[in-house]
Amino acid sequence: GEELLISYGSQEDTSLDLLLHYGFVPEENPYDADFMAWGAGGEDDIENCWSTTLREDEQRLAELDTEMERAPLSKQQRTEKTILQFRIRMKRA
């Protein structure tokens, strides 16, 4: 038989993107640095941005979806959206 190659996601997905959409996490991923920096120095205090309720996460995700209808999301907003999607899935589980 012939060799079969499979490509997962874009070439810029964080480990969280891969876990969320494909169910695995690579050992090393250079795109995780941006993910880990999310919130640092921004509007959100890094200590508080991880402790939210399900409802707060759903509301913020809806806000990002509304913003996305008007203009493309920034890299930071896309990272935030991925984090929110993951947290919502985990909180609903």
Side-chain angles (χ1 to χ4, degrees), residues 9-75:
S10 73
Q11 296 301 312
E12 297 182 4
D13 285 340
T14 65
S15 293
L16 181 57
D17 290 315
L18 296 172
L19 177 63
L20 185 63
H21 300 291
Y22 304 105
F24 72 91
V25 176
E27 282 189 34
E28 294 183 23
N29 186 338
Y31 298 102
D32 286 344
D34 289 336
F35 164 75
M36 295 306 293
W38 176 77
E43 290 181 25
D44 294 331
D45 178 0
I46 195 70
E47 294 177 9
N48 295 325
C49 69
W50 294 97
S51 58
T52 58
T53 65
L54 174 59
R55 183 177 175 157
E56 290 169 331
D57 287 348
E58 290 171 334
Q59 287 174 337
R60 179 62 186 142
L61 184 59
E63 290 171 7
L64 286 172
D65 287 339
T66 300
E67 290 177 31
M68 195 170 62
E69 291 173 6
R70 290 179 278 197
L73 296 177
S74 69
K75 188 173 186 177

